[in-house]
Amino acid sequence: SDINPVVPAPLESVVLKAMRRDPEERYASASDMRRDLEKYLKGENVSASNSALFGPLASKIASPRNLAAAAFAMAAFVPFLVPFALRNAGAPSRESVRTERMVRHRIDAAREYLKKDLRTAAEAQFAAAEDAANGTLAQTLLDIEKHDLMDNRRIIAEQLLSKVAASLKSNDLAGAEEAMSGFKALRIEEGGILERAATLGGKVASARRNADEDRAAYAAIKKASAAPADRAARAAALQKYLDKFPSGSRAREAKAELEKMFPLYLPGISLGPTGRNFFNAADRAELVFVPAGGFIMGSDMGYSDEKPEHRPVLDSFYIYKYEVTNRTFALFLNSLKSAEEVKSGRIVDPEAMKADFTSVDGKWAAAPGREDHPAVNVTWFGAEAYSRWAGAQLPTEAQWEKAARGEGGNVYPWGLTWERKNLNSLSLWADRDLDARWFDTIGVAERIELLGKAATTPTGRFVAGMSAFGCYDMSGNVWEWCRDSYDRGYYSSKSRSQLNPLNNFDSGQRVLRGGSFMSAKEDCRSSQRKKKEPGSWYRDIGFRCVRDSS
């Protein structure tokens, strides 16, 4: 108590007994000392204060030689026990001196904490000093020190707010939020600083909302279908993200993915300059560019209606990369003004389509698991109506064949030789090559089994069967409607145009191209022609569209 007057006498006696030189005079065990401390905390008399040896030992401790040891021991005990001492001790005789020392001690501790940026601990020390002063003469000292302390807090506050502003400028949202949190812990009340803090706080909150929306928007993109037929939707979603968050946290990743998917894709444009692939705005279908020029059409080795081999010239055009799918055909069905158009059978087979579509409250949707399969059981009239709705057209025979076989006259989209694993044909389901005589060369039971299991596959599955211009399933999967009327001798006709040929003469039949999952290998050649009445529908007939490049 000569060194620190705050220490109560009962507690002092416990400490002195624990420090006695003679072991016999110290506590016999830690449990004994614990009991004395517990008595002290309860306000009861401690055994150490009744000891006859207390006086002599106190005199020894008070000697100059031992003061340092006593001070060291007290420094170890007092920080933990002073709060209890203040609560339980009676008023000492030198109250004002002790209170002043306590207040100064607390304020000094608060300053040390501030130097280490431990603001919460500093505030606790400051509050304890406030409680200790409690209207005494030490209040004057406290007011002076409080003013200085507030100046320190103001400087720290200004530094933190400057850090908030700098972090926002460098797009370091985490740093801005951390600095703003530190500012709030200071509990500054000065109007000018609070006004600046409110402005910066609003900017931080806005940046956080923007970051959360950014993250949510990109997460939504990740949920988009990875199926080839829906890549257009994913690309559109990526571009929408970039439009809203040009400097977003995932902007660089979004740009890289978009460029990887479509190196020449230009957002917001349905069609574009020569040599670039784009999306059709109405149905989000991806189109590939086919350049102008001549190509080898027909075949001298094929059926008679494929002869002669010749070389027409076409303007450039765009053609759908994939066959029209159930997913996009449902969009068209929902655009029809009346359900009667579907029920009439002019567009689709209303009974057969139930396997591929569902209708709830008059809204059509692709059946689960069938979204990316080609739309089938569609009449020529239905395919033509879809094309007009999509702002496109059905391809002419010439356009279809050039897109399928390229300019060099490939027999199949991928080249000159047959590969059953490159397409969805009957040979794929039989797991062996089947030619045009297949129906007569296999047994009835196998024939029934084969025809029963053969079916469409999702578009874009056969990468190896892709055409020279990047189209999928131009051989196999489903037959595809063309714009032309069928004329058996059209190729050999002298009236046939050599530039952008199109047979507009209505023969009552329309051309189909490409073969299907029901076809033998001869019918899957790119020059093969087939005819059907335009009102026909079958489970292996679908279509794709084209758009002019002008």
Side-chain angles (χ1 to χ4, degrees), residues 377-397:
N377 292 300
V378 181
T379 68
W380 182 90
F381 298 113
E384 195 272 337
Y386 178 99
S387 300
R388 281 189 282 106
W389 166 78
Q393 295 176 309
L394 289 176
T396 65
E397 276 199 89

Side-chain angles (χ1 to χ4, degrees), residues 218-523:
Y218 201 81
I221 294 174
K222 288 296 184 184
K223 295 179 181 178
S225 172
D230 205 36
R231 292 173 75 200
R234 181 169 179 78
L238 285 168
Q239 187 57 50
K240 184 177 180 181
Y241 169 81
L242 289 172
D243 290 342
K244 188 172 183 179
F245 305 103
S247 301
S249 62
R250 312 298 288 275
R252 181 177 298 179
E253 181 179 344
K255 289 177 182 177
E257 183 178 357
L258 195 59
E259 291 173 0
K260 184 177 180 181
M261 291 171 66
F262 309 106
L264 299 174
Y265 170 65
L266 294 182
I269 306 175
S270 293
L271 296 173
T274 299
R276 296 185 176 183
N277 298 356
F278 296 96
F279 296 118
N280 199 43
D283 59 1
R284 302 182 303 186
E286 184 182 355
L287 299 98
V288 298
F289 181 76
V290 180
F295 73 104
I296 297 174
M297 186 175 183
S299 172
D300 291 334
M301 305 298 292
Y303 297 115
S304 60
D305 63 351
E306 300 174 40
K307 301 175 181 178
E309 188 176 286
H310 55 290
R311 191 176 181 85
V313 176
L314 303 182
D315 292 332
S316 61
F317 62 94
Y318 294 87
I319 187 167
Y320 279 24
K321 189 170 188 175
Y322 308 97
E323 294 157 333
V324 172
T325 65
N326 292 327
R327 185 194 304 275
T328 53
F329 198 74
L331 300 175
F332 164 66
L333 291 176
N334 289 327
S335 73
L336 299 176
K337 296 179 180 179
S338 171
E340 296 301 319
E341 294 185 68
V342 176
K343 295 179 181 178
S344 69
R346 182 174 174 82
I347 292 176
V348 292
D349 178 357
E351 290 301 318
M353 68 177 294
K354 291 179 181 179
D356 290 320
F357 298 93
T358 60
S359 181
V360 179
D361 297 330
K363 290 293 183 182
W364 295 96
R370 301 288 297 174
E371 296 92 343
D372 299 311
H373 283 251
V376 295
N377 292 300
V378 181
T379 68
W380 182 90
F381 298 113
E384 195 272 337
Y386 178 99
S387 300
R388 281 189 282 106
W389 166 78
Q393 295 176 309
L394 289 176
T396 65
E397 276 199 89
Q399 287 175 326
W400 191 97
E401 190 167 335
K402 181 175 182 179
R405 66 192 303 192
E407 297 175 341
N410 284 341
V411 176
Y412 302 97
W414 57 86
L416 299 175
T417 58
W418 166 258
E419 293 289 345
R420 70 170 179 272
K421 294 184 179 180
N422 286 0
L423 73 162
N424 177 18
S425 71
L426 203 59
S427 296
L428 181 75
W429 299 96
D431 198 25
R432 67 180 188 275
D433 292 338
L434 296 178
D435 59 24
R437 299 169 298 168
W438 73 271
F439 195 82
D440 299 322
T441 58
I442 65 175
V444 175
E446 184 183 358
R447 186 191 311 161
I448 294 174
E449 180 186 4
L450 183 60
L451 294 176
K453 68 180 182 180
T456 61
T457 52
T459 59
R461 173 169 293 184
F462 297 91
V463 178
M466 185 172 60
S467 74
F469 294 109
C471 294
Y472 286 83
D473 298 304
M474 296 204 80
S475 186
N477 214 13
V478 293
W479 288 97
E480 299 178 16
W481 287 115
C482 290
R483 199 185 322 170
D484 302 59
S485 286
Y486 177 80
D487 179 353
R488 185 178 187 83
Y490 183 67
Y491 282 9
S492 59
S493 172
K494 294 181 179 180
S495 63
R496 175 180 52 80
S497 172
Q498 294 298 318
L499 177 64
N500 300 317
L502 168 65
N503 183 13
N504 277 324
F505 177 76
D506 188 1
S507 65
Q509 295 177 316
R510 298 287 173 168
V511 176
L512 291 158
R513 288 300 199 107
S516 76
F517 64 86
M518 300 281 285
S519 300
K521 63 180 184 180
E522 290 89 347
D523 288 343

Side-chain angles (χ1 to χ4, degrees), residues 150-222:
M150 289 299 291
D151 282 343
N152 286 342
R153 292 166 70 199
R154 186 181 298 106
I155 293 172
I156 294 172
E158 293 287 357
Q159 291 173 342
L160 287 170
L161 291 181
S162 296
K163 184 179 179 180
V164 171
S167 297
L168 285 174
K169 188 174 181 179
S170 62
N171 293 321
D172 179 13
L173 180 57
E177 288 178 326
E178 181 182 6
M180 182 57 69
S181 177
F183 171 80
K184 291 178 180 178
L186 288 175
R187 296 195 289 274
I188 293 291
E189 299 179 359
E190 185 174 328
I193 295 179
L194 289 178
E195 184 176 344
R196 183 187 177 199
T199 300
L200 288 172
K203 292 181 178 180
V204 171
S206 178
R208 168 50 59 193
R209 286 193 300 271
N210 195 58
D212 291 342
E213 290 177 8
D214 175 341
R215 186 163 46 251
Y218 201 81
I221 294 174
K222 288 296 184 184

Side-chain angles (χ1 to χ4, degrees), residues 47-159:
S47 62
S49 60
N50 299 325
S51 172
L53 296 175
F54 175 78
L57 183 59
S59 299
K60 293 178 181 179
I61 293 295
S63 66
R65 175 181 169 183
N66 294 325
L67 280 178
F72 179 83
M74 291 305 294
F77 279 91
V78 169
F80 300 99
L81 300 176
V82 161
F84 300 108
L86 290 175
R87 187 175 63 210
N88 294 282
S93 58
R94 291 178 288 181
E95 179 179 350
S96 61
V97 175
R98 291 174 177 174
T99 302
E100 181 181 333
R101 288 180 179 177
M102 169 59 77
V103 170
R104 188 177 294 281
H105 169 73
R106 294 291 187 184
I107 292 175
D108 288 344
R111 289 187 180 281
E112 290 302 316
Y113 280 128
L114 283 174
K115 289 179 182 179
K116 298 177 181 180
D117 202 27
L118 300 173
R119 290 182 291 279
T120 302
E123 290 287 350
Q125 292 292 335
F126 187 80
E130 191 85 51
D131 291 340
N134 196 24
T136 64
L137 292 176
Q139 186 69 47
T140 303
L141 170 65
L142 179 59
D143 290 341
I144 295 172
E145 295 292 348
K146 180 179 178 181
H147 183 270
D148 291 342
L149 183 60
M150 289 299 291
D151 282 343
N152 286 342
R153 292 166 70 199
R154 186 181 298 106
I155 293 172
I156 294 172
E158 293 287 357
Q159 291 173 342

